[in-house]
Every structure is written in C-alpha cells, then in structure tokens.
Amino acid sequence: SMRRTRFAYTDGENPYVTLPVALAADVFGARELVFSGRTMRLGSRELEVNPDGSAEIDFGGALHERYHVLPVLALLDAWALRKDGKPSGLSEDLFRGRIVVIGGTALGLGDTKATPFGASTPGVSKQLAVLENLLVGPFITEAPFWMSLLFGLGLAVLSAVLLMTVRSPALGLAWLLGGVGPIVFLVLGACLALEQVHVLAAFPLAAGALSSLGAMACNLLFASRGAAFIPHAFSRYM
C-alpha cells in the first residue's frame, strides 16, 4: 500500500527493518527499533504509530514539489564535461550534508504508483516520504476506535433531534445530501491538520445517513397518522 507503511518485517525467525528505517538509524546512530504500545523509538527519535506497528504516510505534496529531483544523465554530463577535475554546471555543495535517494522515475520502468497527489507517481516517492516522516515529521495515525464510535453516535443523535424537531421534508433532504457528508469530512480534515490522526469515515457517514432516514420516516408516519385522524374525528363528531 502506498498510503501506509510498516517499519519491520520478519521471515519467522529474523526481523528486518525497511530501507528508510535503516537509513534513519544511521542518521540517529540507533542500533535497535523499539515498539511500545503506540510509540516507536529509533535512537533518540520517538514517533507515534498504530498499535499494530504501522502508520499512514504524510506525503506532504507531489514528488517534484517536495524534493530536488536530479536526472542521472545530468550528473554524467557534468562529470564528462568536468573542468579542472570539478563537475561542470553543478554546485560543489549540491550533495553536501544531504541524503541522496536513488530510484527510477521514468514511466517506462513500470514502477508507478497512485498516491494522494498523483495517479502515476514513481514508487520511490513512498521511500522518500517515509524517510522524511522518520527524520522531521510525524506520521498519520489512526484514532482510537472509541473516538470514531463516539463521533458516529453523536452525529446520529444530532441528525435525529434536528429532523424530528424541525419536521420539514425539504430540510430532511438537504441535511441528508448536504449536511452529514460535509460535517464528517470537516471533522476528518480538522483531525488530520491539527493532530495528524484520522478518524474512520464510513461509520459516521452510515450512522448519520441511517439516523436521518429514520427520522424522516418517523416524521412521514406521524404526518400520515395526523392526516387520517382528522377526517375520522369529524366523522364521529357528526
């Protein structure tokens, strides 16, 4: 998956860390990767992860917008046209103090993946994003299930109270089509922007939609009963 990463694997006997973790371990001078609940420690670096040891990747933007991409051909040309032993056309400090990741970016190589910022992104962009999250930025983690459950129940109660208090078919339809969805995605966006956590979207959407439909059905049932009661009452009065 391009949206999620794990940091270590095992063949049943020996554990292995991924390439970004191995590189980050060299940077931090770490000798081991330690998991403790929702915390992962790599040397002096502590990061919050999911309970299963995975995390969602914060890409932060498109590959060519986030990183300096330099074709290998440009390096070969600079070396071939060197003057006085120095590459021509490239700064001597281009790679000094920086981490260089080598990977294929040509479409013909077949290593293209879909990311949140592009349908055909070179696969190396995942390794770059994981490494950047390890070094300077937190990963995106999943909120505890009770938060998603509480959010879904709260949205269901709000939908039911609103639609059964203001018994308007137009309001019910507008809330179902244009109220539940925006509220869910607004809350999800705020959680991602402020806390780097994501809340499950399917459960709140389903809870809000079903509660809205139930409230609209109850309103229609009560309205039908009220309409039938009036002629019946007048006939008995007469």
Side-chain angles (χ1 to χ4, degrees):
S1 173
M2 289 292 288
R3 295 178 180 269
R4 176 174 295 198
T5 184
R6 300 187 69 88
F7 304 97
Y9 296 88
T10 179
D11 58 5
E13 296 183 1
N14 302 304
Y16 301 94
V17 297
T18 60
L19 289 176
V21 172
L23 199 157
D26 289 340
V27 174
F28 296 130
R31 300 182 62 86
E32 60 180 359
L33 182 66
V34 180
F35 291 94
S36 177
R38 297 179 65 94
T39 301
M40 180 183 73
R41 181 167 54 83
L42 182 64
S44 60
R45 183 76 165 147
E46 286 192 359
L47 292 164
E48 187 175 352
V49 296
N50 294 324
D52 63 352
S54 67
E56 283 70 39
I57 306 169
D58 183 4
F59 283 90
L63 174 66
H64 291 79
E65 296 175 356
R66 297 283 294 172
Y67 311 103
H68 184 185
V69 179
L70 187 66
V72 174
L73 183 60
L75 295 177
L76 297 177
D77 287 344
W79 181 253
L81 301 175
R82 63 186 181 277
K83 296 179 181 179
D84 300 328
K86 299 179 180 179
S88 175
L90 294 178
S91 170
E92 296 182 11
D93 299 327
L94 181 61
F95 301 117
R96 184 170 298 165
R98 298 185 180 183
I99 296 174
V100 179
V101 177
I102 301 174
T105 59
L107 294 178
L109 296 176
D111 185 24
T112 55
K113 310 292 184 181
T115 70
F117 295 93
S120 300
T121 303
V124 70
S125 63
K126 177 179 180 179
Q127 309 301 330
L128 286 167
V130 172
L131 180 59
E132 183 182 21
N133 289 176
L134 284 168
L135 296 178
V136 299
F139 288 91
I140 298 172
T141 56
E142 184 177 317
F145 180 71
W146 65 264
M147 292 183 62
S148 301
L149 181 63
L150 186 63
F151 177 39
L153 292 177
L155 185 58
V157 171
L158 174 63
S159 300
V161 170
L162 176 64
L163 298 185
M164 295 190 72
T165 301
V166 183
R167 297 181 178 181
S168 168
L171 175 62
L173 186 61
W175 176 258
L176 181 62
L177 298 179
V180 175
I183 287 179
V184 171
F185 290 108
L186 181 63
V187 171
L188 263 63
C191 291
L192 283 172
L194 299 177
E195 298 295 334
Q196 293 291 100
V197 298
H198 72 87
V199 181
L200 298 180
F203 177 74
L205 281 173
L210 291 176
S211 178
S212 299
L213 289 173
M216 293 169 64
C218 288
N219 290 341
L220 181 61
L221 178 62
F222 291 149
S224 300
R225 285 184 175 181
F229 172 76
I230 293 176
H232 179 69
F234 272 102
S235 65
R236 292 178 63 88
Y237 175 77
M238 295 299 294

